[in-house]
Amino acid sequence: MNNKPETPVTVIGLGLMGQALASAFLKAGHPTTVWNRTTSKADQLVAQGARLAPTVGDALKAGSLTIVCVTDYQAMHELFGASDVELHGTMLINLTSGDSTQAREAAQWAEQRGAHYLDGAIMAIPPTIGSAEAVILHSGPQSDFETHKSTLDALGTVTYLGADHGLASLYDVAGLAMMWSVLNAWLQGTALLRTAGVDAATYAPFAQQIATGVAEWLPAYAKQIDSGSFPAEVSALETDARAMTHLIEESEAVGVNAELPKLIKAMADRAIAAGHGGEQYPVLIEEFGKPRND
């Protein structure tokens, strides 16, 4: 298939994100068909030139590829599960949030019905869709991604992760783990400094500097994890654990919640008890890599 700028597309699901996706396609010059249970959500898009399909089946037939952005995977299955909805030969790109198991099961389900299927994750907020700031992850057959990349480029910075359909969902939650961990660490520090009259705005630039510095460690630490060798080139875990104790004690002394540093210290203590106290911090991957049953 030759994806020229005028490649017709379909967007199913017109929440805030679905509307942003459809609008980006329209702005890029793609004939765009839309469908949503609540048809009024298509009004603004129709005013921009979109075509509102009367049924899901009609919407699927209208585009060379169909973007799905609905509530969850169950909603997608309910929409396309009807026997009169023809999926054979359809290119489905599912940007609905879910987990990696759901993504892999959806891929198998779609392929059994004769559809091509890519799973994806949107690492952006609706206002950024259509700009380079919007990062959109895709996983599944590379040939399908390459065929439609020039069309998908209308949405932002599109990235291919690999053939495993579950990768986009895994990257999504891994990114969320990073986001919440950085924000929670900043909130912990902010709470501590507020007890001395330092406001969040004053602390934020220092926190940014620390976060940027720590991020620079990641490539070298990744090499240790991938090699399974954790020499203490910078600091031993048992030294870090002593500093964790200082953070816990300081938090408790000034009346700040110490749950987060206690959790981190508990993981470090387990690793030290297992004989890893003389190794470098990334050895904690062994703790993160196994479930807790309590």
Side-chain angles (χ1 to χ4, degrees):
M1 186 178 295
N2 183 19
N3 281 316
K4 297 178 181 179
E6 68 272 11
T7 299
V9 299
T10 291
V11 177
I12 292 179
L14 298 178
L16 291 177
M17 185 59 77
Q19 291 180 43
L21 296 171
S23 180
F25 282 128
L26 286 167
K27 289 176 182 177
H30 296 282
T32 304
T33 299
V34 297
W35 184 90
N36 195 72
R37 286 190 188 277
T38 305
T39 58
S40 60
K41 289 188 176 182
D43 290 348
Q44 187 173 354
L45 293 167
V46 170
Q48 296 175 35
R51 171 183 174 265
L52 176 61
T55 67
V56 171
D58 182 70
L60 287 167
K61 294 174 184 176
S64 298
L65 72 156
T66 296
I67 304 292
V68 184
C69 188
V70 292
T71 306
D72 51 32
Y73 280 75
Q74 182 178 347
M76 183 193 72
H77 287 299
E78 290 174 354
L79 283 176
F80 299 145
S83 59
D84 60 341
V85 176
E86 178 59 56
L87 290 180
H88 187 79
T90 302
M91 180 69 240
L92 292 179
I93 300 179
N94 187 18
L95 299 182
T96 298
S97 295
D99 61 43
S100 59
T101 297
Q102 290 174 316
R104 294 180 184 118
E105 289 175 347
Q108 185 177 22
W109 168 84
E111 289 165 0
Q112 286 174 345
R113 297 190 62 177
H116 296 268
Y117 183 89
L118 290 171
D119 209 87
I122 303 173
M123 311 299 289
I125 57 176
T128 65
I129 297 298
S131 71
E133 186 180 345
V135 175
I136 303 178
L137 310 176
H138 297 82
S139 53
Q142 186 171 6
S143 59
D144 287 336
F145 174 78
E146 295 297 339
T147 296
H148 298 285
K149 181 181 182 301
S150 61
T151 301
L152 295 170
D153 281 338
L155 303 180
T157 302
V158 296
T159 303
Y160 177 72
L161 301 173
D164 177 358
H165 285 93
L167 283 175
S169 292
L170 284 172
Y171 266 79
D172 184 19
V173 293
L176 291 175
M178 285 292 300
M179 179 186 74
W180 286 324
S181 295
V182 171
L183 288 174
N184 287 336
W186 175 67
L187 291 171
Q188 181 81 36
T190 298
L192 284 166
L193 287 168
R194 287 176 70 189
T195 66
V198 179
D199 60 24
T202 299
Y203 172 52
F206 176 78
Q208 279 184 300
Q209 184 179 11
I210 295 295
T212 300
V214 171
E216 292 177 353
W217 302 349
L218 299 184
Y221 279 10
K223 289 181 180 178
Q224 288 195 341
I225 291 172
D226 291 341
S227 69
S229 177
F230 307 94
E233 299 167 346
V234 177
S235 176
L237 181 60
E238 56 192 6
T239 302
D240 291 324
R242 287 193 290 271
M244 293 173 193
T245 299
H246 300 327
L247 173 57
I248 293 168
E249 291 174 346
E250 182 69 46
S251 297
E252 292 178 334
V254 298
V256 167
N257 190 307
E259 290 176 275
L260 181 59
K262 283 182 177 179
L263 172 62
I264 299 169
K265 176 68 161 50
M267 297 181 75
D269 287 343
R270 291 197 297 269
I272 292 169
H276 300 297
E279 297 177 272
Q280 196 154 265
Y281 198 86
V283 75
L284 276 180
I285 190 65
E286 303 300 332
E287 290 299 317
F288 280 97
K290 58 189 179 185
R292 291 285 291 172
N293 296 319
D294 54 1

